[in-house]
Amino acid sequence: MLLDGVDHVACLTHDPARLGSFYAAVFDAEIGPTERHGQDGEETMTVMRIGPHTELNVFTIPSSDEADRQTPMWHRGRLDHLGLRASSYATFATIRERLVAHGASDGTVSDFGAAWSMFFRDPDGLEGEVLVPKAADGSHPVAG
């Protein structure tokens, strides 16, 4: 393959501090400073490192109401949801516990063939999914 994963996903928010707190608490994300961005002086950007090579580039644009728009799955436009890969069964279980504790997921884990999957919704309403590849024996990542 010519690519090595996803570098970043850009999204909009009205509250980068709240969003950063969520991703830091649940995913151990590293949250950078919010800095001015763009030509008109209105836009800001906050970089949230969510993996060794992956970031959320979070923009705030006060004159835009796009961050308020929420629609059902498969009707959200070209970017419908964010899929994140857990590094192991143990981290998947930790993320699951944190998402449930934050009220962002009911903790349901679904069998998606080659991977286990769990959906969540961040504080801005963006739907996300955490996946972990199945172990060779197909065991459940949060069995117990």
Side-chain angles (χ1 to χ4, degrees):
M1 291 189 182
L2 297 176
L3 297 176
D4 185 25
V6 174
D7 182 79
H8 71 274
V9 174
C11 60
L12 299 173
T13 186
H14 292 302
D15 193 342
R18 178 189 66 177
L19 200 61
S21 292
F22 173 80
Y23 280 93
V26 173
F27 300 107
D28 291 339
E30 298 171 1
I31 311 303
T34 297
E35 298 179 347
R36 293 259 175 240
H37 187 273
Q39 302 289 325
D40 60 12
E42 170 190 41
E43 179 180 316
T44 64
M45 181 174 90
T46 307
V47 174
M48 301 181 188
R49 182 165 294 284
I50 59 172
H53 309 289
T54 310
E55 300 173 345
L56 294 178
N57 290 350
V58 179
F59 294 89
T60 302
I61 305 169
S63 65
S64 173
D65 63 357
E66 287 299 314
D68 297 325
R69 293 178 9 133
Q70 297 301 320
T71 56
M73 191 173 206
W74 309 129
H75 298 279
R76 298 179 185 136
R78 295 181 67 115
L79 176 62
D80 186 79
H81 65 275
L82 178 65
L84 305 173
R85 180 178 282 206
S87 59
S88 68
Y89 270 29
T91 59
F92 184 90
T94 297
I95 291 166
R96 180 177 176 270
E97 289 172 10
R98 291 177 180 183
L99 287 170
V100 170
H102 279 81
S105 174
D106 66 5
T108 300
V109 176
S110 300
D111 183 343
F112 273 21
W116 295 101
S117 167
M118 171 185 44
F119 282 89
F120 70 93
R121 193 169 297 275
D122 78 13
D124 281 350
L126 176 65
E127 187 159 328
E129 179 181 13
V130 179
L131 300 106
V132 65
K134 280 189 180 175
D137 65 4
S139 60
H140 197 280
V142 291

